Amino acid sequence: MVLLLDNETYIATSGVWKPEDKNNLLGVLLAILGNFLISISLNLQKYAHLRLAYRADQRTYIKSKLWWCGILLMGIGELGNFAAYGFAPVILIAPLGCTSVIGSSVISLLFLQETLRASDLIGGTVAVTGTYLLVTFSTNATEELTGVKIQQYVVRWEFLLYLILEIIIFCVLLYFYKIKDKKHIVIVLMLVALLASATVISVKAVSSLLVVTVKGKMQLTYPIFYAMLVVMISSCIFQVKFLSQARQLYSSTEVLPINFVFFTTSAIIAGIAFYDEFHGLSFLNVLMFLFGSLLSFLGVFLITRNREQQDLQLSYINFGQVPGKKLTSTIQPNSFSYGTLQTEDNSVNSQCKERKTV
């Protein structure tokens, strides 16, 4: 009996995988592995901050080897995500960012002894279900991207129309952001998402051309490669700028889910407009893919919901729960948040001295 998927790329009886199936699978695995490494890196950096605060160490976190290990893992993870775009469609890779949120929650639970909430279990289950639907019903019809094909995609009327609309929306949002001084979270993160659409288009182009070049077909002689490289670097820089602004103005529980929804939606639309990645998909595939995306959005929202508020209700950090630490003493934080060390003032130092004398 022969079982054919909608795009007729896999034959169940013979177990034969076509090149596009292998490329998609490799891209998915690279994206999941990359996001998981990013989760580990974030928790390593957080743990490094906790250790320095516990010891009242006068060194900055930049001198911590554990913190630099986290940075190294993050670099490797981002490299994995970059490579994933060279093997699989944008609409398949972009939504897999939810695996980073799931992985971070699991690692925080096991490694940093954080509290397991019912919303974490439900959100994780929903996000995993959504990810499964995304991978199952996404397009498998990938093609080898060359410099000539990318140049042809750039001048397609569908993309030019999409580009004009995006520029208009970006200018309007930038007007409210700069001139009217409107710093609403939707405005800031919409600017991030619009820049992200240019990022994912250019990242896939650069990554794909490098993959084809490694396979033996030189693509670095095409001007489009360097044009996309410039777009990738510049859009990433401005994207980080606006995202940092959002994190300064709003809490992580607000920024993380909204940014994930906006980024993923923008990436999917960009993949459709530029690379025509919905071409050949049946109505059922499109419907289930969109349903999987919605489940991923809901799962991320449930995992991040009220997490920061719950942490702020704690009046102290119990370092007896940190692995390898048997002490149950507490340290009163001033404004302790991920990515920054609290000021090592006299109050912290005096509390450390009290523990030593007890």
Side-chain angles (χ1 to χ4, degrees):
M1 177 181 178
V2 179
L3 177 63
L4 297 178
L5 296 180
D6 287 335
N7 46 19
E8 299 179 355
T9 56
Y10 178 72
I11 303 177
T13 54
S14 60
V16 175
W17 287 75
K18 291 189 176 182
E20 52 265 30
D21 296 300
K22 295 179 180 179
N23 288 339
N24 283 349
L25 178 61
L26 180 58
V28 169
L29 292 178
L30 285 172
I32 293 176
L33 179 60
N35 286 312
F36 184 70
L37 289 178
I38 292 174
S39 302
I40 297 176
S41 72
L42 293 175
N43 283 278
L44 275 180
Q45 293 174 64
K46 184 176 181 180
Y47 181 54
H49 291 312
L50 288 174
R51 288 183 60 184
L52 290 175
Y54 163 74
R55 295 176 180 177
D57 201 328
Q58 298 300 319
R59 297 178 304 164
T60 62
Y61 62 90
I62 296 178
K63 296 182 180 180
S64 170
K65 294 181 179 179
L66 190 61
W67 186 84
W68 279 108
C69 286
I71 291 295
L72 178 61
L73 284 178
M74 177 173 287
I76 297 174
E78 293 293 355
L79 185 62
N81 278 329
F82 174 79
Y85 282 101
F87 293 97
V90 171
I91 63 172
L92 179 58
I93 299 301
L96 293 179
C98 67
T99 59
S100 177
V101 180
I102 300 173
S104 182
S105 299
V106 174
I107 294 170
S108 298
L109 173 66
L110 299 178
F111 187 65
L112 297 179
Q113 302 284 317
E114 292 188 0
T115 305
L116 177 64
R117 306 171 304 162
S119 59
D120 293 334
L121 289 174
I122 298 174
T125 304
V126 171
V128 169
T129 304
T131 302
Y132 171 78
L133 292 177
L134 287 170
V135 174
T136 303
F137 292 96
S138 178
T139 178
N140 289 334
T142 57
E143 61 177 345
E144 186 178 73
L145 288 177
T146 61
V148 174
K149 289 182 179 179
I150 294 177
Q151 289 174 350
Q152 293 173 350
Y153 285 145
V154 170
V155 296
R156 290 175 64 240
W157 72 266
E158 295 92 340
F159 172 69
L160 294 177
L161 177 61
Y162 163 80
L163 183 61
I164 292 173
L165 291 175
E166 184 172 89
I167 291 175
I168 293 174
I169 296 173
F170 186 84
C171 291
V172 171
L173 292 174
L174 196 60
Y175 169 78
F176 283 102
Y177 179 82
K178 287 289 186 180
I179 307 300
K180 296 294 185 179
D181 197 30
K182 301 295 184 181
K183 300 296 191 297
H184 193 277
I185 187 171
V186 173
I187 293 178
V188 179
L189 293 183
M190 276 291 290
L191 289 170
V192 174
L194 291 174
L195 289 168
S197 65
T199 302
V200 295
I201 289 174
S202 56
V203 164
K204 180 169 179 59
V206 172
S207 180
S208 299
L209 292 179
L210 288 175
V211 169
V212 175
T213 300
V214 171
K215 291 180 179 179
K217 301 178 182 178
M218 176 57 66
Q219 302 295 317
L220 305 186
T221 57
Y222 290 94
I224 192 65
F225 171 80
Y226 301 97
M228 287 294 184
L229 186 62
V230 171
V231 172
M232 180 183 71
I233 296 174
S234 57
S235 62
C236 282
I237 292 174
F238 287 104
Q239 188 180 338
V240 170
K241 176 183 178 296
F242 287 116
L243 188 57
S244 298
Q245 179 73 39
R247 287 175 174 173
Q248 291 175 4
L249 296 174
Y250 302 95
S251 66
S252 297
T253 54
E254 295 175 298
V255 174
L256 182 60
I258 296 176
N259 182 60
F260 175 72
V261 172
F262 283 4
F263 167 80
T264 304
T265 304
S266 178
I268 291 174
I269 295 175
I272 297 171
F274 189 85
Y275 295 106
D276 194 21
E277 292 184 342
F278 266 7
H279 179 74
L281 286 182
S282 66
F283 177 76
L284 176 62
N285 279 50
V286 173
L287 187 63
M288 294 304 294
F289 175 85
L290 295 178
F291 181 62
S293 299
L294 291 176
L295 288 181
S296 298
F297 297 160
L298 178 61
V300 170
F301 171 77
L302 290 174
I303 292 173
T304 58
R305 184 177 66 92
N306 295 331
R307 178 172 294 276
E308 186 168 306
Q309 286 81 346
Q310 181 182 11
D311 293 340
L312 292 176
Q313 292 174 0
L314 298 177
S315 60
Y316 60 86
I317 299 174
N318 188 347
F319 284 95
Q321 292 183 349
V322 178
K325 307 299 180 186
K326 298 181 180 180
L327 298 177
T328 57
S329 302
T330 60
I331 291 180
Q332 303 292 335
N334 294 327
S335 59
F336 193 79
S337 61
Y338 171 72
T340 58
L341 284 175
Q342 60 178 352
T343 304
E344 297 170 351
D345 53 11
N346 294 332
S347 62
V348 175
N349 292 331
S350 61
Q351 290 173 9
C352 294
K353 292 179 180 178
E354 290 176 2
R355 292 201 308 274
K356 293 180 180 178
T357 56
V358 174

